[in-house]
Amino acid sequence: AISAPTSRQPAGRRGAVFAAAAPDSGPFAALRGEVAARFRDLARGAPANITAAQLMQLLVEVGVVDSRATDIGSLMNKLMTHGFYRMTHPSKRDSYGPLDPPIVGLE
């Protein structure tokens, strides 16, 4: 389940996104920085990685997703249909069907 924003992140506020004042930083640069900082807090291993569940939680915590208006199932569906699956399985466009058989050069 998704938890409500933490005490350091008030509900309805996107932290550094709205605090970005410099014209060269902008809201997207601030959001990218906030996501990167949260990723560093959560990531484990070498190379650093997080689970899909941690990614969903991260998106809610930094304010990219409103947990009151969006459920996790529809968020995962949106990510899967817009390239998240392809990042983990580059040879496939989406999760439909099996992988194509590998070409092994026996023909």
Side-chain angles (χ1 to χ4, degrees), residues 57-103:
Q57 184 72 32
L58 182 149
L59 294 175
V60 170
E61 286 177 359
V62 299
V64 173
V65 177
D66 182 7
S67 63
R68 290 171 290 213
T70 307
D71 65 298
I72 293 303
S74 62
L75 175 59
M76 279 299 291
N77 182 52
K78 184 130 186 139
L79 289 172
M80 291 298 189
T81 56
H82 292 281
F84 180 67
Y85 189 85
R86 187 175 184 127
M87 290 175 61
T88 59
H89 296 85
S91 61
K92 292 187 65 177
R93 191 189 91 224
D94 56 29
S95 62
Y96 181 77
L99 289 169
D100 291 332
I103 299 172

Side-chain angles (χ1 to χ4, degrees), residues 22-36:
D24 59 335
S25 66
F28 287 109
L31 181 60
R32 225 180 344 266
E34 198 169 334
V35 168

Side-chain angles (χ1 to χ4, degrees), residues 2-6 8-10 13-15 34 38 42 54-65:
I2 299 240
S3 64
T6 61
R8 74 174 235 276
Q9 190 73 354
R13 172 117 194 228
R14 291 190 173 143
E34 198 169 334
R38 189 69 185 117
L42 295 172
Q54 287 174 312
L55 175 64
M56 301 301 110
Q57 184 72 32
L58 182 149
L59 294 175
V60 170
E61 286 177 359
V62 299
V64 173
V65 177

